[in-house]
Amino acid sequence: MKASQKKIIITPLNWGLGHATRCVPIINALLENNFTPIIASDGNALSFLRKEFPSLEYIEIPAYNISYHRNLKLGLLLQIPKVLKAVREERKIINNFILKNTDVVGVISDNRFGVRSSLVPSVYVTHQVNVLSGSTTFFTSYFHQQIIKKFDECWIPDKNGSEFSGKLSSTKKNLNTKFIGVLSRFKKQELTQNIDVLIILSGIESNRVFLENKLISAFKNDTRNIVFVLGKIEPAQKSWKKENITYYNYVLSEELQNLINSSKIIICRSGYSSIMDLAVLDKKVFFIPTEHQDEQEYLASFLETKKLAPFSKMKDFVKEDISKIENYKGLKTTETKLDSDLFRLFERKRKL
């Protein structure tokens, strides 16, 4: 088999855009190491990666269709049956594809439970070995770890010592985990910082809209240069200006990289992919975690305790809060280049 024929299926969960964006450096590393990525996902995650990598092959797999509920835990509990149905369907689709395509040598799943195969090495990507859910954390973590055990390896996008993920990724259990370094699609650039406040919105609807309305209202009479990236993946990219605020419905990686590098202050969710991106770009940031999402609330609190970034609950936020940033160090780390050794497990002979 020629090097260029070695194909790896990579599948991000469609939950906001974080899983898709952190797959970008993995996809680039696969290309650099003579693998051909095949991207499998659904919804906005699939649309985003199609725009980033238009020449690659794509597979549409069933959506988990996790909808936002005011009580996030109850909402997720009620949606378990349809998620399990999608997990069974996606596994069937992926395994049938692998059976028909003998040049597939591996699978990389970013938090998609059913995307694995007994025929080729299967990798699970997550920073949440432990899934926080309040009083039910033991059970949600146990359930997730049972899924992780079904994969050949679990890649954790963080440095040894869980620098940015804290207790989410720390475990004494043998789950064949590898800390692969901080993943980001961005590179730090020395650009003129002519944007006073850059607001990056993300997350599942309608939660994203709640924050959009809150922040537009907070900054509508501000005299500074404010930029909103709304995080709405639509057929055509567009931008418009209203008074002091510039709006983008969405931007792709290169343009967002330039916007962040050109900004003095960032406001965004405390999603883990955002944390990694901003750390690589050495930025000052103010976080507004998604309500009732224990992971984001923990990460915001964890980084505040380390004096790296302040945060506020959405209902309590006022624009004057961002002045607190001056008392925090900001996020900073070195860019990770994925080592070719990471992909050696895909050299194993495919099972018949």
Side-chain angles (χ1 to χ4, degrees):
M1 186 183 300
K2 294 179 182 177
S4 61
Q5 290 181 314
K6 295 187 297 182
K7 295 180 179 178
I8 293 180
I9 300 170
I10 182 162
T11 64
L13 179 65
N14 180 36
W15 176 276
L17 284 180
H19 297 280
T21 59
R22 75 181 183 191
C23 283
V24 169
I26 298 177
I27 294 167
N28 283 326
L30 289 171
L31 291 167
E32 289 168 7
N33 284 276
N34 297 316
F35 293 100
T36 300
I38 300 171
I39 298 171
S41 191
D42 66 279
N44 283 345
L46 185 63
S47 298
F48 169 79
L49 290 172
R50 277 186 188 275
K51 294 175 187 294
E52 290 284 327
F53 300 98
S55 63
L56 294 182
E57 183 178 353
Y58 289 82
I59 307 169
E60 186 159 4
I61 52 180
Y64 287 11
N65 282 327
I66 303 172
S67 57
Y68 178 73
H69 193 283
R70 283 287 187 180
N71 185 326
L72 194 61
K73 293 175 195 172
L74 176 61
L76 290 175
L77 183 65
L78 293 173
Q79 295 175 81
I80 285 175
K82 70 176 181 181
V83 170
L84 292 178
K85 182 175 183 288
V87 167
R88 290 191 294 269
E89 289 176 356
E90 71 183 3
R91 188 167 185 211
K92 183 178 179 181
I93 289 169
I94 293 300
N95 274 290
N96 285 342
F97 186 89
I98 293 172
L99 283 169
K100 294 175 183 176
N101 294 269
T102 57
D103 47 3
V104 174
V105 297
V107 173
I108 300 174
S109 167
D110 190 324
N111 279 84
R112 295 199 75 123
F113 302 159
V115 182
R116 55 187 173 82
S117 172
S118 60
L119 299 175
V120 297
S122 300
V123 172
Y124 192 72
V125 180
T126 188
H127 64 281
Q128 293 187 81
V129 174
N130 301 302
V131 181
L132 305 186
S133 59
S135 59
T136 58
T137 291
F138 173 82
F139 298 103
T140 51
S141 297
Y142 175 80
F143 172 75
H144 198 211
Q145 289 163 17
Q146 293 304 112
I147 290 169
I148 292 171
K149 285 180 180 178
K150 295 178 181 180
F151 289 77
D152 295 283
E153 288 185 1
C154 174
W155 292 353
I156 299 173
D158 199 352
K159 295 182 176 181
N160 284 318
S162 304
E163 182 176 349
F164 293 103
S165 52
K167 67 181 180 182
L168 297 178
S169 64
S170 58
T171 180
K172 295 180 181 178
K173 296 181 180 178
N174 181 20
L175 299 173
N176 205 10
T177 55
K178 285 185 178 180
F179 284 86
I180 63 173
V182 174
L183 292 181
S184 176
R185 52 186 164 147
F186 298 141
K187 296 185 182 297
K188 181 173 171 54
Q189 300 168 302
E190 297 300 330
L191 301 179
T192 302
Q193 295 191 341
N194 52 15
I195 299 173
D196 294 304
V197 182
L198 173 64
I199 297 167
I200 304 171
L201 301 179
S202 61
I204 56 174
E205 306 290 358
S206 56
N207 190 284
R208 188 200 60 77
V209 174
F210 295 154
L211 184 58
E212 176 185 330
N213 293 337
K214 173 84 173 181
L215 294 180
I216 289 175
S217 176
F219 286 97
K220 66 181 178 182
N221 295 319
D222 201 291
T223 58
R224 290 170 292 185
N225 182 21
I226 312 292
V227 174
F228 274 76
V229 177
L230 299 178
K232 296 168 67 175
I233 305 297
E234 297 174 326
Q237 185 184 23
K238 57 186 177 182
S239 65
W240 63 99
K241 190 159 185 174
K242 190 174 181 181
E243 297 175 350
N244 63 306
I245 301 178
T246 301
Y247 297 91
Y248 295 86
N249 58 343
Y250 73 89
V251 293
L252 295 180
S253 294
E254 184 175 356
E255 192 169 3
L256 184 56
Q257 173 182 280
N258 291 338
L259 287 173
I260 297 174
N261 278 304
S262 301
S263 300
K264 298 172 185 174
I265 291 172
I266 315 296
I267 299 175
C268 66
R269 295 293 197 193
S270 48
Y272 190 64
S273 295
S274 297
I275 290 167
M276 292 192 292
D277 286 339
L278 296 171
V280 166
L281 298 184
D282 188 11
K283 301 307 294 187
K284 292 269 192 175
V285 56
F286 190 97
F287 288 120
I288 303 176
T290 301
E291 274 187 311
H292 310 302
Q293 191 165 321
D294 294 271
E295 174 215 357
Q296 288 197 14
E297 291 175 343
Y298 165 74
L299 287 169
S301 177
F302 174 65
L303 296 174
E304 183 183 56
T305 301
K306 295 179 75 171
K307 298 300 290 183
L308 297 179
F311 78 95
S312 167
K313 293 182 179 179
M314 183 173 72
K315 65 182 178 64
D316 299 329
F317 177 81
V318 292
K319 69 178 181 181
E320 289 75 18
D321 285 342
I322 62 175
S323 63
K324 297 176 184 176
I325 283 179
E326 297 173 5
N327 301 318
Y328 291 78
K329 301 173 190 174
L331 303 179
K332 186 173 184 178
T333 191
T334 53
E335 180 189 356
T336 298
K337 183 170 177 59
L338 294 176
D339 195 289
S340 59
D341 288 346
L342 188 65
F343 303 125
R344 282 193 175 170
L345 80 161
F346 299 125
E347 295 175 1
R348 298 178 194 168
K349 189 175 181 180
R350 178 176 158 136
K351 296 177 183 178
L352 301 175

